[in-house]
Amino acid sequence: MQGTTGTSSQPTGTYPPTDRTVPTRSPERAAYDKELVHAILDEGYVCHLGFVRDGAPVVLPTLYGRVGERLYVHGSTGSRPLRMTGAADPGLPVCLTVTHVDALVLARSAFHHSINYRSVVVHGTAYEVTDPEERRTALDALVEHVVPGRSHDSRPANKKELAATAVIRLDLNEVSAKLRTGGVNDEPEDLSLPHWAGLVPLRKGYDAPVADPALAPGTALPDYLSAG
Amino acid sequence: MQGTTGTSSQPTGTYPPTDRTVPTRSPERAAYDKELVHAILDEGYVCHLGFVRDGAPVVLPTLYGRVGERLYVHGSTGSRPLRMTGAADPGLPVCLTVTHVDALVLARSAFHHSINYRSVVVHGTAYEVTDPEERRTALDALVEHVVPGRSHDSRPANKKELAATAVIRLDLNEVSAKLRTGGVNDEPEDLSLPHWAGLVPLRKGYDAPVADPALAPGTALPDYLSAG
């Protein structure tokens, strides 16, 4: 059900590497391809948003949406990170990270145990979105990110709900993906050890939808869910 | 295959709430029960570790392990966050967050779309572990965290591997869990709307293990994997 958000125009090119987006080790795992970055972002539900409060780091899980080269996060106007991005402010430095765990990698040696994963790290400054049209676009993108097609099959936010919702924007400029794929990387001299080695893939996908008990009579499961 | 790490002694009690661990909104979703926190931590593979570098936040996904009231993270001695926790330093302020997404919550209103999730946020200071015995315990816990039973069925790290590995410790003192469970919370006046509403649970578990092609002849799939 994922993957269609914001992909109406095909991205081309790469994000320019910076000091912050080039890892000091395993640089071969880093990637800057926009299409790959978008695909990893679109597959996730929750990002981990980091910011600095009173000099200390804070990392909170939150929903997000993507529209082209912009990410949007929303929340209550009363929540702490969103209060820190007021339009009058210079913006809030953030680091937004999305990670998928694909498989456990069991090596013969403890040292080479690992996981196959795909992650995206975005560095930048988050700004509050105040333009009503951009706020609508962002809120639609947040719902579409959870289930593509859903923003047209739900009641849009009313004035009171809009007033209670803060939206912040983070542009995709300083961005990198990092991936581990493939099999076990044991030392040659360990290959004959009697320990089982290989991958344990994590199961992906959805279980059967569970309808709300108070569903209006005759409401069918929508196509965009039955295909999941 | 998860959930047995470090649970040999049953925890009792709660973590004392602090200004940083009491949310400004939805406080009813916050919890401080040690047993619940441990269960959420033990179910995850990857944490998101936040720290401050040059005044800006950095959030990186990384493996972790738990031993009682201590979390351990490891990495190359050359990696940036681990270089920042040298034994001679006063420690690195960090925020370590673990999140599980359990279900998509589709409400009749866009505003009440949500996810069911369980997360743990740990605030504190990370210190490099230099004591050889604690390092061994930590590295075993990291492997056990991925697959319980595995640390006894793999070649332990040798001197060269140990010298290349930095281990950092974060004590569980300032800790909170946050959860959303249950069904859809629509406004009463929206219940008759013709939109499908309910939960879409995310599938959990593992697909069949994929053996390394170079497995030593006669190496069977271990019991701790076939039960997964």
Side-chain angles (χ1 to χ4, degrees):
Chain A
M1 303 192 298
Q2 291 281 314
T4 64
T5 310
T7 53
S8 53
S9 61
Q10 284 302 312
T12 53
T14 58
Y15 298 104
T18 72
D19 177 56
R20 292 199 289 195
T21 63
V22 176
T24 46
R25 66 181 288 267
S26 303
E28 77 285 358
R29 292 188 185 171
Y32 305 92
D33 178 72
K34 288 188 178 182
E35 207 165 336
L36 174 66
V37 164
H38 291 182
I40 293 171
L41 289 172
D42 293 350
E43 191 180 321
Y45 292 111
V46 161
C47 67
H48 283 82
L49 182 70
F51 55 98
V52 180
R53 191 169 62 213
D54 301 331
V58 180
V59 178
L60 298 178
T62 188
L63 294 171
Y64 64 99
R66 182 176 72 82
V67 178
E69 296 295 332
R70 284 186 170 172
L71 294 182
Y72 293 102
V73 168
H74 74 331
S76 159
T77 50
S79 72
R80 275 187 277 213
L82 296 164
R83 282 203 318 250
M84 296 169 76
T85 58
D89 294 329
L92 178 70
V94 298
C95 181
L96 186 154
T97 301
V98 172
T99 305
H100 308 297
V101 179
D102 295 323
L104 315 180
V105 180
L106 274 57
R108 296 160 183 84
S109 59
F111 185 77
H112 284 295
H113 276 66
S114 187
I115 55 167
N116 279 347
Y117 69 96
R118 292 164 294 141
S119 66
V120 164
V121 175
V122 183
H123 297 274
T125 303
Y127 298 96
E128 185 180 358
V129 179
T130 54
D131 176 72
E133 195 174 333
E134 187 179 0
R135 279 167 52 84
R136 283 276 187 196
T137 302
L139 294 174
D140 281 353
L142 276 147
V143 171
E144 288 289 306
H145 188 88
V146 175
V147 182
R150 186 68 186 176
S151 68
H152 305 292
D153 187 22
S154 52
R155 174 179 67 68
N158 59 32
K159 274 189 182 176
K160 184 183 156 200
E161 291 166 343
L162 285 171
T165 305
V167 176
I168 62 175
R169 181 186 80 220
L170 173 64
D171 290 343
L172 294 173
N173 291 319
E174 194 170 355
V175 184
S176 60
K178 208 171 168 196
L179 302 88
R180 189 204 188 279
T181 57
V184 175
N185 289 333
D186 264 315
E187 304 295 331
E189 61 268 28
D190 288 336
L191 291 181
S192 58
L193 290 176
H195 308 302
W196 189 90
L199 302 179
V200 181
L202 266 73
R203 198 170 289 165
K204 306 275 179 172
Y206 309 90
D207 286 328
V210 180
D212 184 65
L215 218 56
T219 306
L221 189 71
D223 288 343
Y224 54 75
L225 288 183
S226 51
Chain B
M1 304 191 299
Q2 290 280 313
T4 63
T5 309
T7 52
S8 53
S9 62
Q10 282 302 313
T12 53
T14 58
Y15 298 104
T18 71
D19 178 56
R20 294 199 287 196
T21 64
V22 176
T24 47
R25 66 180 288 267
S26 304
E28 75 284 359
R29 292 187 185 172
Y32 306 91
D33 178 71
K34 288 187 179 183
E35 208 165 336
L36 173 66
V37 164
H38 291 182
I40 293 171
L41 289 172
D42 293 348
E43 191 180 320
Y45 292 111
V46 162
C47 67
H48 283 82
L49 182 71
F51 56 98
V52 181
R53 191 170 63 212
D54 300 332
V58 180
V59 179
L60 298 179
T62 188
L63 295 170
Y64 64 99
R66 182 176 72 82
V67 178
E69 295 296 331
R70 286 187 168 169
L71 295 181
Y72 293 101
V73 169
H74 74 331
S76 159
T77 50
S79 74
R80 275 187 278 214
L82 296 165
R83 282 203 318 250
M84 296 169 75
T85 58
D89 294 331
L92 179 70
V94 298
C95 181
L96 185 154
T97 301
V98 172
T99 305
H100 307 296
V101 178
D102 295 323
L104 315 178
V105 181
L106 275 55
R108 296 157 183 86
S109 59
F111 184 77
H112 284 296
H113 276 66
S114 188
I115 55 168
N116 280 347
Y117 69 96
R118 291 164 293 142
S119 66
V120 164
V121 176
V122 183
H123 297 274
T125 303
Y127 298 95
E128 185 181 359
V129 178
T130 53
D131 176 72
E133 194 174 335
E134 187 178 359
R135 279 167 52 85
R136 284 275 185 197
T137 302
L139 294 174
D140 280 353
L142 276 147
V143 170
E144 288 290 305
H145 188 88
V146 174
V147 181
R150 185 68 185 176
S151 69
H152 304 294
D153 187 21
S154 50
R155 174 179 67 70
N158 59 33
K159 273 190 183 176
K160 183 184 157 199
E161 291 166 344
L162 284 171
T165 305
V167 176
I168 62 176
R169 181 186 81 219
L170 174 64
D171 289 345
L172 294 174
N173 290 319
E174 194 169 356
V175 183
S176 60
K178 209 171 167 195
L179 302 88
R180 189 203 188 278
T181 58
V184 175
N185 288 334
D186 264 316
E187 304 295 332
E189 61 269 29
D190 288 335
L191 292 181
S192 58
L193 290 176
H195 308 301
W196 188 90
L199 301 180
V200 182
L202 267 72
R203 197 170 292 164
K204 307 271 179 175
Y206 309 89
D207 286 330
V210 180
D212 184 65
L215 216 57
T219 307
L221 189 71
D223 287 344
Y224 55 75
L225 288 182
S226 52

